[in-house]
Amino acid sequence: MRSLSEKIAAIAPSATIEISNAAKRMAQEGVDVISLSIGEPDFDTPAHIKDACIDALRRGETHYAPSAGIPALTDVIAEKISRENGFAAQQDEVIVTCGAKDAIYEAMEAVLNPGDEALILDPAWVSYEPCARLAGGSVRHHALSPATFQVDDALLEAVGPRTKMIVVNSPSNPSGAVLNKASIRLIADICRDRDLLALSDEIYEKLVYGKEHVSLASLEGMAERTITVNGFSKAYAMTGWRLGYAVAPRPIVRQMEKVQQHTISHPTTFAMFGALAALRGSQDCVEAMRREFERRRDYLIPALRDLGYATAPADGAFYAYVKVDGDDIAIARSWLRDAHVAVTPGTAFYTPGWLRLSYATSMENLEEAVGRIARV
């Protein structure tokens, strides 16, 4: 057989999915595993969203749609952005994608040339770097302060001559940190001064606790240089629907649409009607889930600190990021082997010495997991 792609061979598998698969294998063997390893809400998709999808199926919405998404959905996304996120968006500045991850990949393909560099703030979600490298770009990492997980003037020194884009994720996966206004302003200043693009991943924007989410594109001069990525997976418990979107300047969206036309064509037609119902309908379901996540956070973070663990600020998303003493990969393996608790090592997020625990599970599971960790 001829040799395989060297580019793909150089890309590591997703560490979060790998850990989750190991936990699932143990569970299939009859082991009582509590999985705190994957970022998926444990709630069912709200009924009105599922009903809208079913209705779309029944009336025959099973054929090709425009490559950027059905017009009703791109229009309501533009309205949502203009109303909630603090910057004006037009329908032709929106593209609906097969999940937020797809939006990130398409954005990287649309703007990065060979030799262009994406600057990633660590700890960082596992797929930013592979997406940049698949698109032919290179990557530079910049570590945020482990005390605050905010941006400071050191970011100025991290920008290199080939840097074209800064990747921003707030609220953060994995740390749960929410960038404050000073951090967002500093990133915006650097982008304007150095003529950089920004990719702002805001998929967890609805899951914030006691803080304020600020969209990077809402700052002066940033809408014309920011690709804002969002989706339906986290806020509406729609992970399996694979629906995300990006809002960006028209030239970037047109390039992303080319990538979409030649890969997935467009997201699933009838699923997009479910997303339309999600945005048009009552947001009470989103707030109910947010409150439950906050209740779990308010239990888990103090419980971990009582065991002697330091944690990152858990102001958003549904993760506790825990500092450990020693090899985080070995510790994660020992927790899985000895306590039957699955967590993700921080090495996967470019920050060795940390573990990510997802509290997107029941309070009963969290209490049992803490007890098992204490015994280990």
Side-chain angles (χ1 to χ4, degrees), residues 142-226:
H142 172 68
L144 299 178
S145 164
T148 65
F149 291 86
Q150 297 295 324
V151 176
D152 56 30
D153 289 342
L155 183 59
L156 289 163
E157 303 302 319
V159 176
R162 296 189 303 166
T163 303
K164 189 174 187 178
M165 168 192 287
I166 299 178
V167 180
V168 181
N169 177 211
S170 178
S172 165
N173 174 11
S175 73
V178 175
L179 292 179
N180 58 32
K181 288 183 178 179
S183 289
I184 295 292
R185 281 196 295 266
L186 181 54
I187 293 168
D189 289 343
I190 292 172
C191 287
R192 289 191 297 260
D193 292 346
R194 304 291 182 91
D195 191 24
L196 303 178
L197 296 171
L199 190 153
S200 183
D201 180 356
E202 303 181 16
I203 189 68
Y204 293 97
E205 67 163 350
K206 297 293 186 180
L207 302 178
V208 177
Y209 318 111
K211 299 288 183 178
E212 178 186 3
H213 171 71
V214 179
S215 289
L216 181 60
S218 68
L219 274 67
E220 183 179 358
M222 288 304 295
E224 57 262 39
R225 61 177 67 248
T226 302

Side-chain angles (χ1 to χ4, degrees), residues 166-294:
I166 299 178
V167 180
V168 181
N169 177 211
S170 178
S172 165
N173 174 11
S175 73
V178 175
L179 292 179
N180 58 32
K181 288 183 178 179
S183 289
I184 295 292
R185 281 196 295 266
L186 181 54
I187 293 168
D189 289 343
I190 292 172
C191 287
R192 289 191 297 260
D193 292 346
R194 304 291 182 91
D195 191 24
L196 303 178
L197 296 171
L199 190 153
S200 183
D201 180 356
E202 303 181 16
I203 189 68
Y204 293 97
E205 67 163 350
K206 297 293 186 180
L207 302 178
V208 177
Y209 318 111
K211 299 288 183 178
E212 178 186 3
H213 171 71
V214 179
S215 289
L216 181 60
S218 68
L219 274 67
E220 183 179 358
M222 288 304 295
E224 57 262 39
R225 61 177 67 248
T226 302
I227 305 162
T228 301
V229 172
N230 210 320
F232 302 87
S233 294
K234 313 303 182 181
Y236 300 97
M238 294 172 66
T239 52
W241 293 61
R242 307 314 306 136
L243 287 172
Y245 61 86
V247 181
R250 290 181 187 89
I252 295 177
V253 169
R254 295 288 77 79
Q255 293 292 93
M256 293 176 65
E257 191 172 357
K258 290 181 192 176
V259 178
Q260 186 143 294
Q261 288 169 348
H262 292 294
T263 52
I264 66 167
S265 296
H266 59 79
T268 302
T269 302
F270 50 83
M272 287 191 278
F273 286 91
L276 182 62
L279 291 180
R280 280 182 171 171
S282 169
Q283 302 302 296
D284 289 349
C285 57
V286 178
E287 176 58 17
M289 286 187 276
R290 190 203 67 81
R291 286 197 304 268
E292 176 58 19
F293 283 132
E294 186 172 26

